[in-house]
PDB file of all heavy atoms in Angstrom:
ATOM      1  N   ARG A 165      73.270  -0.044 -56.538  1.00 84.00           N
ATOM      2  CA  ARG A 165      74.264  -1.039 -56.987  1.00 84.00           C
ATOM      3  C   ARG A 165      75.705  -0.578 -56.842  1.00 84.00           C
ATOM      4  O   ARG A 165      76.623  -1.369 -57.032  1.00 84.00           O
ATOM      5  CB  ARG A 165      74.008  -1.426 -58.444  1.00 84.00           C
ATOM      6  CG  ARG A 165      72.852  -2.367 -58.619  1.00 84.00           C
ATOM      7  CD  ARG A 165      72.860  -2.996 -59.992  1.00 84.00           C
ATOM      8  NE  ARG A 165      72.947  -2.009 -61.046  1.00 84.00           N
ATOM      9  CZ  ARG A 165      71.965  -1.686 -61.856  1.00 84.00           C
ATOM     10  NH1 ARG A 165      70.793  -2.263 -61.749  1.00 84.00           N
ATOM     11  NH2 ARG A 165      72.137  -0.782 -62.808  1.00 84.00           N
ATOM     12  N   GLU A 166      75.942   0.677 -56.521  1.00 76.00           N
ATOM     13  CA  GLU A 166      77.315   1.183 -56.383  1.00 76.00           C
ATOM     14  C   GLU A 166      78.040   0.368 -55.315  1.00 76.00           C
ATOM     15  O   GLU A 166      77.556   0.233 -54.200  1.00 76.00           O
ATOM     16  CB  GLU A 166      77.311   2.662 -56.021  1.00 76.00           C
ATOM     17  CG  GLU A 166      78.684   3.253 -55.878  1.00 76.00           C
ATOM     18  CD  GLU A 166      79.531   3.117 -57.124  1.00 76.00           C
ATOM     19  OE1 GLU A 166      79.068   3.487 -58.211  1.00 76.00           O
ATOM     20  OE2 GLU A 166      80.665   2.625 -56.992  1.00 76.00           O
ATOM     21  N   LYS A 167      79.171  -0.171 -55.659  1.00 78.00           N
ATOM     22  CA  LYS A 167      79.907  -1.059 -54.755  1.00 78.00           C
ATOM     23  C   LYS A 167      81.033  -0.360 -53.996  1.00 78.00           C
ATOM     24  O   LYS A 167      81.677  -0.962 -53.163  1.00 78.00           O
ATOM     25  CB  LYS A 167      80.513  -2.229 -55.538  1.00 78.00           C
ATOM     26  CG  LYS A 167      79.523  -3.006 -56.361  1.00 78.00           C
ATOM     27  CD  LYS A 167      78.482  -3.700 -55.512  1.00 78.00           C
ATOM     28  CE  LYS A 167      77.637  -4.603 -56.391  1.00 78.00           C
ATOM     29  NZ  LYS A 167      76.317  -4.858 -55.917  1.00 78.00           N
ATOM     30  N   GLN A 168      81.279   0.917 -54.284  1.00 85.00           N
ATOM     31  CA  GLN A 168      82.402   1.598 -53.657  1.00 85.00           C
ATOM     32  C   GLN A 168      82.014   2.377 -52.408  1.00 85.00           C
ATOM     33  O   GLN A 168      82.888   2.834 -51.680  1.00 85.00           O
ATOM     34  CB  GLN A 168      83.068   2.529 -54.667  1.00 85.00           C
ATOM     35  CG  GLN A 168      83.650   1.776 -55.836  1.00 85.00           C
ATOM     36  CD  GLN A 168      84.228   2.707 -56.876  1.00 85.00           C
ATOM     37  OE1 GLN A 168      84.115   3.915 -56.795  1.00 85.00           O
ATOM     38  NE2 GLN A 168      84.857   2.133 -57.879  1.00 85.00           N
ATOM     39  N   PHE A 169      80.729   2.565 -52.171  1.00 89.00           N
ATOM     40  CA  PHE A 169      80.303   3.306 -50.993  1.00 89.00           C
ATOM     41  C   PHE A 169      78.895   2.876 -50.602  1.00 89.00           C
ATOM     42  O   PHE A 169      78.191   2.221 -51.372  1.00 89.00           O
ATOM     43  CB  PHE A 169      80.354   4.823 -51.228  1.00 89.00           C
ATOM     44  CG  PHE A 169      79.651   5.265 -52.483  1.00 89.00           C
ATOM     45  CD1 PHE A 169      78.288   5.480 -52.503  1.00 89.00           C
ATOM     46  CD2 PHE A 169      80.374   5.461 -53.648  1.00 89.00           C
ATOM     47  CE1 PHE A 169      77.648   5.876 -53.665  1.00 89.00           C
ATOM     48  CE2 PHE A 169      79.754   5.869 -54.810  1.00 89.00           C
ATOM     49  CZ  PHE A 169      78.366   6.075 -54.817  1.00 89.00           C
ATOM     50  N   VAL A 170      78.510   3.224 -49.403  1.00 92.00           N
ATOM     51  CA  VAL A 170      77.184   2.899 -48.890  1.00 92.00           C
ATOM     52  C   VAL A 170      76.142   3.693 -49.668  1.00 92.00           C
ATOM     53  O   VAL A 170      76.286   4.894 -49.869  1.00 92.00           O
ATOM     54  CB  VAL A 170      77.102   3.230 -47.384  1.00 92.00           C
ATOM     55  CG1 VAL A 170      75.711   3.017 -46.849  1.00 92.00           C
ATOM     56  CG2 VAL A 170      78.116   2.403 -46.604  1.00 92.00           C
ATOM     57  N   SER A 171      75.096   3.014 -50.125  1.00 93.00           N
ATOM     58  CA  SER A 171      74.021   3.707 -50.832  1.00 93.00           C
ATOM     59  C   SER A 171      72.689   3.010 -50.566  1.00 93.00           C
ATOM     60  O   SER A 171      72.631   1.780 -50.467  1.00 93.00           O
ATOM     61  CB  SER A 171      74.309   3.751 -52.332  1.00 93.00           C
ATOM     62  OG  SER A 171      74.393   2.449 -52.862  1.00 93.00           O
ATOM     63  N   VAL A 172      71.646   3.820 -50.425  1.00 95.00           N
ATOM     64  CA  VAL A 172      70.301   3.306 -50.202  1.00 95.00           C
ATOM     65  C   VAL A 172      69.309   4.153 -50.997  1.00 95.00           C
ATOM     66  O   VAL A 172      69.621   5.264 -51.418  1.00 95.00           O
ATOM     67  CB  VAL A 172      69.901   3.318 -48.700  1.00 95.00           C
ATOM     68  CG1 VAL A 172      70.808   2.429 -47.876  1.00 95.00           C
ATOM     69  CG2 VAL A 172      69.873   4.717 -48.148  1.00 95.00           C
ATOM     70  N   LEU A 173      68.117   3.612 -51.189  1.00 95.00           N
ATOM     71  CA  LEU A 173      67.019   4.323 -51.823  1.00 95.00           C
ATOM     72  C   LEU A 173      65.854   4.296 -50.852  1.00 95.00           C
ATOM     73  O   LEU A 173      65.406   3.224 -50.432  1.00 95.00           O
ATOM     74  CB  LEU A 173      66.625   3.647 -53.137  1.00 95.00           C
ATOM     75  CG  LEU A 173      65.402   4.200 -53.850  1.00 95.00           C
ATOM     76  CD1 LEU A 173      65.661   5.625 -54.333  1.00 95.00           C
ATOM     77  CD2 LEU A 173      65.020   3.303 -55.012  1.00 95.00           C
ATOM     78  N   VAL A 174      65.370   5.472 -50.459  1.00 95.00           N
ATOM     79  CA  VAL A 174      64.288   5.584 -49.482  1.00 95.00           C
ATOM     80  C   VAL A 174      62.980   5.857 -50.210  1.00 95.00           C
ATOM     81  O   VAL A 174      62.891   6.774 -51.016  1.00 95.00           O
ATOM     82  CB  VAL A 174      64.565   6.720 -48.472  1.00 95.00           C
ATOM     83  CG1 VAL A 174      63.430   6.841 -47.468  1.00 95.00           C
ATOM     84  CG2 VAL A 174      65.898   6.511 -47.770  1.00 95.00           C
ATOM     85  N   GLU A 175      61.977   5.055 -49.915  1.00 91.00           N
ATOM     86  CA  GLU A 175      60.640   5.285 -50.454  1.00 91.00           C
ATOM     87  C   GLU A 175      59.764   5.743 -49.289  1.00 91.00           C
ATOM     88  O   GLU A 175      59.536   4.987 -48.349  1.00 91.00           O
ATOM     89  CB  GLU A 175      60.105   3.990 -51.061  1.00 91.00           C
ATOM     90  CG  GLU A 175      58.818   4.161 -51.803  1.00 91.00           C
ATOM     91  CD  GLU A 175      58.509   2.954 -52.653  1.00 91.00           C
ATOM     92  OE1 GLU A 175      57.975   1.990 -52.089  1.00 91.00           O
ATOM     93  OE2 GLU A 175      58.813   2.974 -53.850  1.00 91.00           O
ATOM     94  N   VAL A 176      59.305   6.986 -49.354  1.00 89.00           N
ATOM     95  CA  VAL A 176      58.573   7.562 -48.210  1.00 89.00           C
ATOM     96  C   VAL A 176      57.067   7.385 -48.306  1.00 89.00           C
ATOM     97  O   VAL A 176      56.361   7.589 -47.318  1.00 89.00           O
ATOM     98  CB  VAL A 176      58.907   9.056 -48.008  1.00 89.00           C
ATOM     99  CG1 VAL A 176      60.374   9.250 -47.681  1.00 89.00           C
ATOM    100  CG2 VAL A 176      58.496   9.874 -49.205  1.00 89.00           C
ATOM    101  N   GLY A 177      56.554   7.037 -49.463  1.00 84.00           N
ATOM    102  CA  GLY A 177      55.121   6.845 -49.597  1.00 84.00           C
ATOM    103  C   GLY A 177      54.735   6.570 -51.029  1.00 84.00           C
ATOM    104  O   GLY A 177      55.573   6.611 -51.930  1.00 84.00           O
ATOM    105  N   PHE A 178      53.468   6.300 -51.222  1.00 85.00           N
ATOM    106  CA  PHE A 178      52.950   5.986 -52.541  1.00 85.00           C
ATOM    107  C   PHE A 178      51.964   7.067 -52.961  1.00 85.00           C
ATOM    108  O   PHE A 178      50.945   7.267 -52.298  1.00 85.00           O
ATOM    109  CB  PHE A 178      52.253   4.622 -52.536  1.00 85.00           C
ATOM    110  CG  PHE A 178      53.173   3.487 -52.181  1.00 85.00           C
ATOM    111  CD1 PHE A 178      53.193   2.957 -50.900  1.00 85.00           C
ATOM    112  CD2 PHE A 178      54.034   2.951 -53.134  1.00 85.00           C
ATOM    113  CE1 PHE A 178      54.040   1.913 -50.582  1.00 85.00           C
ATOM    114  CE2 PHE A 178      54.885   1.915 -52.819  1.00 85.00           C
ATOM    115  CZ  PHE A 178      54.893   1.392 -51.540  1.00 85.00           C
ATOM    116  N   VAL A 179      52.250   7.756 -54.052  1.00 88.00           N
ATOM    117  CA  VAL A 179      51.366   8.832 -54.502  1.00 88.00           C
ATOM    118  C   VAL A 179      50.057   8.292 -55.065  1.00 88.00           C
ATOM    119  O   VAL A 179      49.091   9.044 -55.202  1.00 88.00           O
ATOM    120  CB  VAL A 179      52.048   9.771 -55.531  1.00 88.00           C
ATOM    121  CG1 VAL A 179      53.218  10.494 -54.890  1.00 88.00           C
ATOM    122  CG2 VAL A 179      52.479   9.017 -56.770  1.00 88.00           C
ATOM    123  N   ASN A 180      49.988   7.000 -55.373  1.00 92.00           N
ATOM    124  CA  ASN A 180      48.729   6.434 -55.838  1.00 92.00           C
ATOM    125  C   ASN A 180      47.827   5.988 -54.684  1.00 92.00           C
ATOM    126  O   ASN A 180      46.730   5.492 -54.910  1.00 92.00           O
ATOM    127  CB  ASN A 180      48.970   5.280 -56.823  1.00 92.00           C
ATOM    128  CG  ASN A 180      49.691   4.109 -56.190  1.00 92.00           C
ATOM    129  OD1 ASN A 180      50.302   4.238 -55.135  1.00 92.00           O
ATOM    130  ND2 ASN A 180      49.638   2.973 -56.847  1.00 92.00           N
ATOM    131  N   ASN A 181      48.288   6.169 -53.451  1.00 88.00           N
ATOM    132  CA  ASN A 181      47.479   5.900 -52.265  1.00 88.00           C
ATOM    133  C   ASN A 181      46.932   7.239 -51.783  1.00 88.00           C
ATOM    134  O   ASN A 181      47.705   8.100 -51.341  1.00 88.00           O
ATOM    135  CB  ASN A 181      48.354   5.236 -51.192  1.00 88.00           C
ATOM    136  CG  ASN A 181      47.614   4.981 -49.901  1.00 88.00           C
ATOM    137  OD1 ASN A 181      46.859   5.812 -49.412  1.00 88.00           O
ATOM    138  ND2 ASN A 181      47.857   3.821 -49.320  1.00 88.00           N
ATOM    139  N   PRO A 182      45.617   7.475 -51.870  1.00 90.00           N
ATOM    140  CA  PRO A 182      45.054   8.791 -51.523  1.00 90.00           C
ATOM    141  C   PRO A 182      45.420   9.275 -50.116  1.00 90.00           C
ATOM    142  O   PRO A 182      45.697  10.455 -49.919  1.00 90.00           O
ATOM    143  CB  PRO A 182      43.545   8.587 -51.657  1.00 90.00           C
ATOM    144  CG  PRO A 182      43.387   7.420 -52.573  1.00 90.00           C
ATOM    145  CD  PRO A 182      44.588   6.543 -52.327  1.00 90.00           C
ATOM    146  N   GLU A 183      45.449   8.364 -49.145  1.00 84.00           N
ATOM    147  CA  GLU A 183      45.794   8.743 -47.773  1.00 84.00           C
ATOM    148  C   GLU A 183      47.248   9.213 -47.685  1.00 84.00           C
ATOM    149  O   GLU A 183      47.546  10.239 -47.074  1.00 84.00           O
ATOM    150  CB  GLU A 183      45.555   7.564 -46.833  1.00 84.00           C
ATOM    151  CG  GLU A 183      45.770   7.883 -45.370  1.00 84.00           C
ATOM    152  CD  GLU A 183      45.510   6.682 -44.475  1.00 84.00           C
ATOM    153  OE1 GLU A 183      45.405   5.541 -44.970  1.00 84.00           O
ATOM    154  OE2 GLU A 183      45.432   6.896 -43.256  1.00 84.00           O
ATOM    155  N   GLU A 184      48.140   8.474 -48.316  1.00 84.00           N
ATOM    156  CA  GLU A 184      49.551   8.855 -48.289  1.00 84.00           C
ATOM    157  C   GLU A 184      49.804  10.109 -49.113  1.00 84.00           C
ATOM    158  O   GLU A 184      50.624  10.944 -48.738  1.00 84.00           O
ATOM    159  CB  GLU A 184      50.433   7.702 -48.765  1.00 84.00           C
ATOM    160  CG  GLU A 184      50.463   6.555 -47.774  1.00 84.00           C
ATOM    161  CD  GLU A 184      51.414   5.447 -48.153  1.00 84.00           C
ATOM    162  OE1 GLU A 184      52.215   5.619 -49.094  1.00 84.00           O
ATOM    163  OE2 GLU A 184      51.348   4.390 -47.507  1.00 84.00           O
ATOM    164  N   LEU A 185      49.118  10.262 -50.235  1.00 90.00           N
ATOM    165  CA  LEU A 185      49.277  11.460 -51.049  1.00 90.00           C
ATOM    166  C   LEU A 185      48.889  12.699 -50.256  1.00 90.00           C
ATOM    167  O   LEU A 185      49.588  13.720 -50.296  1.00 90.00           O
ATOM    168  CB  LEU A 185      48.445  11.357 -52.330  1.00 90.00           C
ATOM    169  CG  LEU A 185      48.534  12.547 -53.271  1.00 90.00           C
ATOM    170  CD1 LEU A 185      49.971  12.764 -53.739  1.00 90.00           C
ATOM    171  CD2 LEU A 185      47.605  12.340 -54.461  1.00 90.00           C
ATOM    172  N   LYS A 186      47.819  12.608 -49.499  1.00 88.00           N
ATOM    173  CA  LYS A 186      47.383  13.735 -48.663  1.00 88.00           C
ATOM    174  C   LYS A 186      48.465  14.085 -47.637  1.00 88.00           C
ATOM    175  O   LYS A 186      48.778  15.252 -47.425  1.00 88.00           O
ATOM    176  CB  LYS A 186      46.073  13.392 -47.959  1.00 88.00           C
ATOM    177  CG  LYS A 186      45.514  14.513 -47.135  1.00 88.00           C
ATOM    178  CD  LYS A 186      44.198  14.116 -46.486  1.00 88.00           C
ATOM    179  CE  LYS A 186      43.684  15.245 -45.608  1.00 88.00           C
ATOM    180  NZ  LYS A 186      42.439  14.885 -44.932  1.00 88.00           N
ATOM    181  N   LEU A 187      49.061  13.071 -47.038  1.00 85.00           N
ATOM    182  CA  LEU A 187      50.130  13.316 -46.058  1.00 85.00           C
ATOM    183  C   LEU A 187      51.362  13.922 -46.722  1.00 85.00           C
ATOM    184  O   LEU A 187      52.021  14.788 -46.146  1.00 85.00           O
ATOM    185  CB  LEU A 187      50.501  12.021 -45.341  1.00 85.00           C
ATOM    186  CG  LEU A 187      49.423  11.448 -44.419  1.00 85.00           C
ATOM    187  CD1 LEU A 187      49.796  10.045 -43.976  1.00 85.00           C
ATOM    188  CD2 LEU A 187      49.193  12.350 -43.222  1.00 85.00           C
ATOM    189  N   LEU A 188      51.670  13.484 -47.942  1.00 88.00           N
ATOM    190  CA  LEU A 188      52.837  14.005 -48.653  1.00 88.00           C
ATOM    191  C   LEU A 188      52.650  15.461 -49.088  1.00 88.00           C
ATOM    192  O   LEU A 188      53.621  16.186 -49.268  1.00 88.00           O
ATOM    193  CB  LEU A 188      53.156  13.134 -49.873  1.00 88.00           C
ATOM    194  CG  LEU A 188      53.687  11.737 -49.565  1.00 88.00           C
ATOM    195  CD1 LEU A 188      53.681  10.879 -50.819  1.00 88.00           C
ATOM    196  CD2 LEU A 188      55.067  11.798 -48.953  1.00 88.00           C
ATOM    197  N   HIS A 189      51.411  15.898 -49.234  1.00 92.00           N
ATOM    198  CA  HIS A 189      51.135  17.294 -49.600  1.00 92.00           C
ATOM    199  C   HIS A 189      51.407  18.251 -48.444  1.00 92.00           C
ATOM    200  O   HIS A 189      51.606  19.435 -48.658  1.00 92.00           O
ATOM    201  CB  HIS A 189      49.686  17.460 -50.066  1.00 92.00           C
ATOM    202  CG  HIS A 189      49.482  17.153 -51.505  1.00 92.00           C
ATOM    203  ND1 HIS A 189      49.981  17.929 -52.519  1.00 92.00           N
ATOM    204  CD2 HIS A 189      48.837  16.123 -52.108  1.00 92.00           C
ATOM    205  CE1 HIS A 189      49.650  17.414 -53.676  1.00 92.00           C
ATOM    206  NE2 HIS A 189      48.963  16.303 -53.463  1.00 92.00           N
ATOM    207  N   ASN A 190      51.428  17.740 -47.226  1.00 91.00           N
ATOM    208  CA  ASN A 190      51.630  18.564 -46.048  1.00 91.00           C
ATOM    209  C   ASN A 190      53.131  18.793 -45.830  1.00 91.00           C
ATOM    210  O   ASN A 190      53.893  17.850 -45.637  1.00 91.00           O
ATOM    211  CB  ASN A 190      51.009  17.870 -44.828  1.00 91.00           C
ATOM    212  CG  ASN A 190      51.116  18.667 -43.568  1.00 91.00           C
ATOM    213  OD1 ASN A 190      52.178  19.171 -43.223  1.00 91.00           O
ATOM    214  ND2 ASN A 190      50.014  18.764 -42.847  1.00 91.00           N
ATOM    215  N   SER A 191      53.554  20.052 -45.847  1.00 94.00           N
ATOM    216  CA  SER A 191      54.983  20.367 -45.722  1.00 94.00           C
ATOM    217  C   SER A 191      55.559  19.934 -44.377  1.00 94.00           C
ATOM    218  O   SER A 191      56.730  19.558 -44.300  1.00 94.00           O
ATOM    219  CB  SER A 191      55.236  21.850 -45.964  1.00 94.00           C
ATOM    220  OG  SER A 191      54.572  22.634 -44.997  1.00 94.00           O
TER     221      SER A 191
END
């Protein structure tokens, strides 16, 4: 919501999805 500069929120995966959680565990 900051109006003075560009800002975004990145969601890279869902930890409640077993397949995505496994991928997120890999460095």
Side-chain angles (χ1 to χ4, degrees):
R165 283 195 308 252
E166 181 58 51
K167 306 296 187 206
Q168 297 176 354
F169 51 84
V170 175
S171 61
V172 298
L173 174 66
V174 179
E175 188 166 82
V176 297
F178 298 100
V179 296
N180 63 342
N181 177 317
E183 185 180 13
E184 290 185 10
L185 180 60
K186 183 179 178 182
L187 292 169
L188 291 168
H189 275 291
N190 182 312
S191 62

